[in-house]
């Protein structure tokens, strides 16, 4: 049996493997204190029919039983429903890439510069949750400039 990282590297084209900053559309997530064994895929580099319907990045790690994290980044206040669809599209890609792999941890992340209270509330609507392997997950919102490591704090 392979690893989550190995599966991602097997399916993603070499030019999609992202090793620099997690930055898109004027939004940055810091990569301090994240599992050192990881791979980040820039989904804009994949040949997807309509890439406006896919998140920006897919993060994978083999730590703590395996992690898959689709990441959507917006500089301003995002349309939560559209962002949820983008994260769901990335989750489907991750499901395809990890068939037969154990993935204990999944978390969809929406990073944005601002988010009015009404939009933060809409993150909790079940219609905006992201499904991975037939299980629904609440989207975690991070602010642009935050550390991605916040996702790995298991409560």
């Amino acid at each position: 049996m392979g690893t989550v990282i190995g599966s991602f590297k097997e399916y993603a084209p070499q030019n999609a493997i992202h090793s620099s900053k997690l930055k898109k559309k004027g939004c940055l997530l810091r990569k301090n204190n994240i599992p050192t064994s990881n791979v980040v895929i820039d989904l804009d580099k994949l040949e997807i029919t309509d890439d406006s319907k896919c998140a920006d990045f897919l993060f994978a790690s083999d730590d703590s039983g395996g992690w898959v994290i689709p990441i959507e980044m917006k500089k301003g206040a995002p349309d939560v429903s559209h962002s949820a669809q983008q994260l769901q599209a990335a989750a489907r890609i991750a499901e395809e890439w990890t068939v037969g792999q154990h993935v204990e941890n999944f978390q969809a992340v929406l990073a944005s510069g601002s988010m009015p209270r009404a939009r933060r509330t809409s993150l909790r609507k079940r219609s905006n949750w992201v499904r991975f392997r037939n299980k629904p997950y609440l989207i975690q919102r991070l602010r642009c400039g935050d550390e991605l490591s916040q996702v790995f704090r298991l409560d």
Side-chain angles (χ1 to χ4, degrees):
M1 184 163 113
T3 64
V4 177
I5 292 174
S7 291
F8 272 50
K9 287 183 175 180
E10 178 182 331
Y11 284 98
Q14 187 63 38
N15 72 326
I17 296 174
H18 185 82
S19 58
S20 61
K21 295 178 181 179
L22 282 176
K23 185 176 183 179
K24 285 275 173 114
K25 301 171 189 132
C27 184
L28 168 79
L29 285 179
R30 300 184 190 290
K31 295 193 318 185
N32 304 344
N33 305 314
I34 61 173
T36 53
S37 176
N38 69 65
V39 66
V40 178
I41 307 300
D42 183 342
L43 295 174
D44 289 339
K45 304 274 173 103
L46 298 184
E47 292 184 23
I48 299 172
T49 309
D50 184 359
D51 63 2
S52 70
K53 292 184 181 172
C54 196
D56 294 311
F57 295 106
L58 260 175
F59 175 96
S61 172
D62 293 316
D63 284 14
S64 303
W67 277 93
V68 168
I69 304 171
I71 303 168
E72 175 61 17
M73 304 179 87
K74 303 285 186 193
K75 181 179 181 178
D79 174 335
V80 172
S81 178
H82 181 69
S83 295
Q85 291 171 5
Q86 292 174 297
L87 289 163
Q88 186 61 64
R92 280 193 292 275
I93 291 169
E95 284 177 331
E96 291 174 19
W97 289 359
T98 59
V99 170
Q101 301 297 324
H102 178 73
V103 178
E104 192 169 312
N105 306 288
F106 175 88
Q107 180 61 65
V109 171
L110 174 57
S112 68
S114 64
M115 186 174 286
R117 182 181 306 259
R119 291 191 188 182
R120 285 194 309 266
T121 301
S122 71
L123 279 174
R124 292 190 292 268
K125 285 184 178 177
R126 281 191 82 68
S127 61
N128 289 325
W129 289 18
V130 175
R131 297 187 77 75
F132 181 73
R133 294 185 172 172
N134 216 21
K135 185 177 174 193
Y137 293 87
L138 192 66
I139 297 170
Q140 182 173 349
R141 191 264 175 150
L142 297 177
R143 290 180 170 273
C144 293
D146 280 352
E147 291 192 14
L148 181 61
S149 63
Q150 293 178 45
V151 173
F152 300 99
R153 296 186 184 122
L154 299 173
D155 296 9

